Structures are given as C-alpha cells and as structure tokens.
Amino acid sequence: MRLRQWQDDGLRRFLGTNRDFLVVATPGAGKTAFALLAAQAMMDRGEIGWISTVVPTDHLKGQWASAADRLGIKLNPAFTNKRKKTAPDYDGVVTTYQSVAADPQVWAHMADQPGRPCLVILDEVHHAGDADHLTWGPALFTAFNNAHRRLMLSGTPFRTDAKPIPFLRYNEERCVIPDINYDYGMALQDQEVVRPVVFPALDGEARWRLASEHAMAKKLSETDPGTISHALSAALDPEKEWIPSALRRANDELSLIRQDTSDIGGLVLATNQKHARAYAEILQKITGEPATIATSDRPRASKNISDFTSGSSRWIVAVQMVAEGVDIPRLGVIVYATRTRTELFFRQVVGRCIRRRRDDDDLCARVFIPTIQSLLAPAARIEMTVQHVLRDEENRVRAHHVASRGDNNGENTDPSAAPRVEVIGSSQAVHQYTINSGEAFGEPVLLQARRLGQEAGLPASAEPSAIVRFMRLTGARIGDGKPWPAVKEQTLVEKKKELRIVINRKVGHLAALTRQPHRTIHRRLHDAFREANIEQATVETLNERLILLDNWIHGVK
C-alpha cells in the first residue's frame, strides 16, 4: 500500500511514542487504513497481540473487518457481550460504543489479558462526547484504561460541551488537541486525496402557521434564527412543492454526471424515517427505478447500504446511517434535506461524497442545500482549517446561549416546550447560485458556462462554476447581465386555496371529536364572520377561521 504523506508522518509519530494518540483527518483521507497499518506494524514488532476496535454503528463493524482482512488482520465483527470470548484464530474484534457501554467489564477483561497486549482503536471518537450518550465516556475509561495502547480517530474537528472524553487532551477552550491533523483544505491542496465539492443553493418560499396565529410566508434565504426551523419544516415536507422540485433538480445533475461515469450515485439525507420513505417514493416517480432506503427501523439497512455501495443504482435515502463513517466512494451528489444544521454534522455529510476512487477521478461533487445561513456559511468555508472551524463553532455556541429567541440548530429538545408548527405549503425550489470555494456563482452565469463548456467539448459532468473560474484565469469575460431567477410569488387565488385546505382539515378533525356534521361546523364559521359562504372570505378572515377552529378543538380536548 502506497502511503500518503500524512499517513507516513503520522505512522512514524505513532510508533515513536507510547502515549494515547489522536488522528483528526478529513473523510476520504485514509484514517481506517492508517489505523490498520499501525496495528499491523505493532503486531509485526511483537508489541501487541490483540486489537479491540470500537465504531459508532453496526454497519461499520463489517466495513472495518473487511478492510482489516485485506491487510491480513482477522477481526471478528459478530462478537457480542454475552459470548465473553471469541475464537483464538482472530486477531481481535470490532464492536460499537453502545455495546461497550452496555457491559464495560467484558471489554476491560479482554483488553487486559496477561501476555496479550491490546491496542484499542476508537473510531469517530467524538461520539463519546455527545450529550445523548453521556454514559459512553465513563464506560470507555472502565473498559480500556488498562489497555496497552489507544489510537483515536475522528473525521471532524470537535469540542466537548459535556464531560471530557477519556484519553484525549484538551486546550483551554475545550477543543481537542490532535497528534495528527489533516483537514479537507490540506487534502484538497494535495490534489490526489479528495474531490472538490460545490454547493448548489436552492431558495423557495415556505408557508406555515403556529397555533392561534395567522399564516406566515418567508423565502428560505430571508429566514432568521426564529423562523429557520419552521421554514425548513415546510420546505422539507414531502407533500408540498419544494422538496420534490429539489429532488428533480438534483437528479438532473446526477444524470449529467452519469453520462461520463455511469455508476455515480446520489444520497438524500432526510430528517426522519417517514420523510425518508416519502422521498424514496418521489425519486422512484422521477427516475422510474426504486431508491434504496437505509434507516434504522429496517432490518436489512446495513445490507442495503452494502448493495448500493457495490451496485450502480441512482439514489440512496437515509436519516443518519450514511451521515458518517460509511464508505460509499461512488457517491457524487448529496441532497441535504435534514433539519440538523450544526457545522460539524454538515461537514460529516459532505465527507460522504469527496472520496476519490482512483487517480483519474476528476469528478466535482455536488451538495444541494437550502439557502439558509446556517448552511451557507459552513459551505462557504468548507476548505478552512480545523482551527477556523472550531473558532466559528465556539462563537456559534456562545451566540446560541445569548440569543433570546434561540434557534435550536436542529438539535434534539423537549418537543412539549416548542409551539406546534402547522405546515401550509411551499413553492418550487429555485436554484439561485452555486457556492464554489467560498464564492457564489449565479444561475445565469452558470447556464452560460455550461453552454460554452459543451461547445468546447468538455464532459457533460463538468461543473459550470469551475468553468467560470477557469475562464477568469484565461482573461475571458463571462456573464450577460441576466437577472437571477426569482421565487414565484403566490397569487391571491393560490393563497386562499391553501388556507381553505387547512380549514377543511381542521373541520374534519373537529367533526371527528364532536360528531357534528361538517356542514354544521362550516355554517358556524360563516355566521361567526358574517359571510354567506367561504367564497366571500378574505385572506384575513380565512386566517381568523383557523384561529377560531383551534380554539374550538382545544375546548373539546
């Protein structure tokens, strides 16, 4: 195996010390290969006799075991806590953080066998600091405190706002101190490690209402911390217009790429399992072929990911199972359709499509995002160093705690504490611009660049924003002054139609609760606003009808 420069440097540093060692390297840089080569070197030197590898998900267990086998290292991915021991012809086991936390004493016994020094590999170790898994950190200390060596890996820089993760070093700002740091910006400069990535930004109007309030409408690009979450709920609703049109746009781009590389696939990252299934149905209608679904409620989820990885089908839809660590080198397009908006999670998702497959892989990956500031900003600084990311994350956390209307940034909170959002509708997605290396390129310029690229005989998959940048270097002028596409405004007829649909739904709900006929409830509404029928209702009185219906429903409950 030909080592990359960072791997060669890191291996010499790791083998030259006896302390705990942390590697922070961008997805696609070769962290797994680095860890296995380190283990192989230690076994050859007689320093260790056993390897315990801990990963975030069950799917990654098989991925690690397969990668190890290619180097002649035999890891058992099927080991369970109940078995206590494994066959002696294995060199080690692969398990999950959840399994270690369930019974750390099993792993402590395995890591402290006389005459069999143990190397512990903790993959994506930042998960042990997640607020949702506060027991994982103490369990790791109990399980592996007496191990011979510990090697920690992470694909993203990270902080800790909960309890510190065992075996890691921190600075005064609670940021980890890596022994090796190889981020996306460094890898991109090396040219042979990762693909470049651009971010087509899709705008659109989202429409929603909160209980006892009038309907609201905002463009995604005009949202603020108090409205981002509600607007995304409307835009990502599979029954409205925005997400189906966004998926059509992404599939069109995937089709162009597949003209040059026929097996390139796409990933849609959904907020929840219900949305994932609905998005898969939309994609099947668009493409005429089934989309793979990988969600934790499906027994075959891991098998589905493996089949997609080795196949040539177009789309896979997931919630979080493909967000981090899962290796699908043929991914070239991602649709970021989840409400989770922390920068580190966003970077993890981007990491799924930047892995180069071979030396002649010149694909530019595309990640389609909504035009909201919490995604536009990290997209613009994706090539920044780890230190910049951590500093920006620190500022974001501070601002979040100070903000009076704080947006929860897509993280889990108590649902009972937040007002219920009622989705009304959304417009079609409009491609305003693409972000490339921090710069926004408008749709009119991109269309012109694509046409010029085709006339020059460039591949269909050539990224228009890259063509614009190249033409600038040659001194060519591009841009015809055409206006950027505008989000279509609703007509009065369309506004009233949407509100009437919501009214009818609430009338049906109230009728089910009170056993009143629908027409009786409608008549009460007409009388309340002195309107002969709903055709006489204005937008104002339609909104007031909704508020009155909310009160009636609340009174019955």
Side-chain angles (χ1 to χ4, degrees):
M1 180 181 294
R2 181 172 64 89
L3 293 181
R4 292 165 178 163
Q5 187 62 51
W6 81 264
Q7 292 171 320
D8 188 47
D9 293 341
L11 201 55
R12 283 188 282 105
R13 289 191 209 177
F14 175 75
L15 296 174
T17 181
N18 289 319
R19 60 178 173 79
D20 294 324
F21 200 89
L22 172 64
V23 174
V24 175
T26 187
K31 292 186 302 298
T32 302
F34 172 86
L36 292 172
L37 287 169
Q40 185 183 56
M42 294 184 74
M43 294 178 71
D44 291 345
R45 288 160 46 161
E47 291 186 33
I48 59 169
W50 191 253
I51 305 166
S52 289
T53 303
V54 188
V55 299
T57 65
D58 283 329
H59 178 79
L60 291 177
K61 293 194 299 183
Q63 192 168 293
W64 266 86
S66 297
D69 191 70
R70 289 193 288 271
L71 290 177
I73 300 174
K74 308 301 179 184
L75 300 182
N76 180 6
F79 177 82
T80 62
N81 291 346
K82 291 181 180 179
R83 295 181 180 177
K84 308 293 183 183
K85 296 182 180 180
T86 189
D89 53 352
Y90 282 113
D91 298 310
V93 295
V94 190
T95 189
T96 63
Y97 288 101
Q98 186 175 0
S99 294
V100 173
D103 196 345
Q105 292 299 335
V106 169
W107 299 94
H109 178 75
M110 189 182 298
D112 194 21
Q113 289 292 303
R116 195 183 70 176
C118 176
L119 168 66
V120 175
I121 301 172
L122 302 177
D123 187 29
E124 306 297 356
V125 69
H126 54 271
H127 282 293
D130 289 347
D132 293 339
H133 307 302
L134 292 181
T135 61
W136 288 9
L140 289 178
F141 183 82
T142 300
F144 302 122
N145 186 48
N146 292 325
H148 176 66
R149 288 293 306 273
R150 289 172 290 265
L151 172 59
M152 282 73 70
L153 310 174
S154 178
T156 51
F158 61 98
R159 301 164 21 88
T160 177
D161 294 309
K163 294 181 180 179
I165 301 170
F167 318 128
L168 300 182
R169 295 177 295 143
Y170 293 87
N171 62 19
E172 294 177 353
E173 296 178 338
R174 303 190 310 281
C175 298
V176 294
I177 303 173
D179 295 276
I180 287 292
N181 166 34
Y182 187 70
D183 57 39
Y184 178 72
M186 299 174 183
L188 196 61
Q189 290 174 8
D190 286 346
Q191 295 184 337
E192 60 179 17
V193 180
V194 294
R195 295 168 176 158
V197 59
V198 297
F199 301 89
L202 304 180
D203 204 357
E205 186 178 75
R207 299 180 288 275
W208 71 92
R209 68 182 293 270
L210 304 179
S212 300
E213 292 186 10
H214 282 206
M216 283 195 65
K218 264 188 179 295
K219 294 178 184 176
L220 293 174
S221 58
E222 297 174 353
T223 54
D224 54 38
T227 56
I228 286 177
S229 181
H230 305 330
L232 275 183
S233 293
L236 301 179
D237 189 320
E239 296 182 0
K240 308 309 177 186
E241 289 189 62
W242 191 90
I243 189 66
S245 59
L247 294 177
R248 282 193 295 272
R249 174 87 193 202
N251 185 69
D252 289 344
E253 196 68 22
L254 181 62
S255 295
L256 288 173
I257 296 173
R258 285 169 69 97
Q259 289 183 30
D260 300 314
T261 311
S262 60
D263 69 335
I264 292 296
L267 163 67
V268 180
L269 197 67
T271 298
N272 53 49
Q273 295 166 356
K274 180 181 177 182
H275 278 188
R277 290 189 290 270
Y279 295 169
E281 291 179 3
I282 294 170
L283 286 168
Q284 183 165 358
K285 292 178 181 177
I286 293 172
T287 65
E289 68 175 64
T292 300
I293 301 177
T295 56
S296 58
D297 64 330
R298 299 204 165 206
R300 289 176 49 87
S302 185
K303 178 69 162 54
N304 289 346
I305 295 172
S306 297
D307 290 345
F308 182 84
T309 301
S310 59
S312 60
S313 59
R314 282 178 172 260
W315 288 100
I316 183 170
V317 185
V319 178
Q320 288 195 346
M321 290 193 68
V322 188
E324 183 182 28
V326 176
D327 183 9
I328 309 178
R330 72 183 188 90
L331 280 181
V333 176
I334 293 178
V335 179
Y336 196 90
T338 173
R339 290 177 59 193
T340 303
R341 300 180 301 285
T342 58
E343 176 157 355
L344 299 188
F345 182 80
F346 178 72
R347 282 179 168 250
Q348 291 162 8
V349 173
V350 173
R352 297 311 98 217
C353 67
I354 62 174
R355 186 186 303 270
R356 292 188 78 209
R357 294 199 283 180
R358 49 187 178 268
D359 291 342
D360 63 346
D361 183 354
D362 57 359
L363 174 67
C364 179
R366 279 79 153 171
V367 179
F368 287 79
I369 59 174
T371 53
I372 55 175
Q373 189 57 33
S374 51
L375 296 181
L376 295 174
R381 59 179 174 241
I382 198 71
E383 297 170 21
M384 278 187 180
T385 63
V386 167
Q387 287 73 22
H388 280 95
V389 175
L390 291 172
R391 192 177 305 120
D392 290 337
E393 183 77 355
E394 171 78 15
N395 293 336
R396 186 200 64 76
V397 171
R398 287 176 179 170
H400 168 61
H401 287 307
V402 173
S404 58
R405 300 178 65 188
D407 167 40
N408 68 9
N409 213 22
E411 298 164 359
N412 292 328
T413 57
D414 179 8
S416 63
R420 180 176 176 272
V421 179
E422 188 167 35
V423 171
I424 293 180
S426 62
S427 71
Q428 289 202 353
V430 175
H431 181 214
Q432 296 283 28
Y433 51 84
T434 289
I435 298 174
N436 186 334
S437 297
E439 184 179 357
F441 296 86
E443 175 76 341
V445 172
L446 296 176
L447 291 173
Q448 185 182 1
R450 175 155 276 165
R451 178 177 56 79
L452 293 173
Q454 292 172 347
E455 292 174 357
L458 294 179
S461 60
E463 166 53 38
S465 61
I467 297 175
V468 177
R469 298 185 72 194
F470 175 78
M471 292 182 69
R472 285 180 180 173
L473 292 175
T474 64
R477 295 178 59 85
I478 184 168
D480 52 12
K482 290 183 180 178
W484 288 11
V487 175
K488 180 179 177 291
E489 293 188 10
Q490 267 192 308
T491 65
L492 181 61
V493 171
E494 290 170 336
K495 287 180 182 178
K496 288 187 174 184
K497 181 179 180 181
E498 269 191 348
L499 291 172
R500 287 170 62 175
I501 289 172
V502 182
I503 287 171
N504 288 334
R505 185 168 66 237
K506 285 187 178 294
V507 167
H509 185 196
L510 183 61
L513 291 174
T514 62
R515 300 184 183 279
Q516 296 181 67
H518 287 60
R519 63 178 179 275
T520 300
I521 299 172
H522 279 296
R523 173 49 55 193
R524 291 174 61 193
L525 289 171
H526 300 335
D527 293 343
F529 296 98
R530 298 180 181 181
E531 294 166 340
N533 51 58
I534 202 167
E535 292 294 337
Q536 295 183 3
T538 65
V539 169
E540 176 73 17
T541 58
L542 288 174
N543 273 295
E544 293 296 334
R545 286 175 182 238
L546 285 172
I547 294 173
L548 184 57
L549 282 166
D550 283 339
N551 293 334
W552 288 348
I553 291 170
H554 181 72
V556 173
K557 291 182 176 180

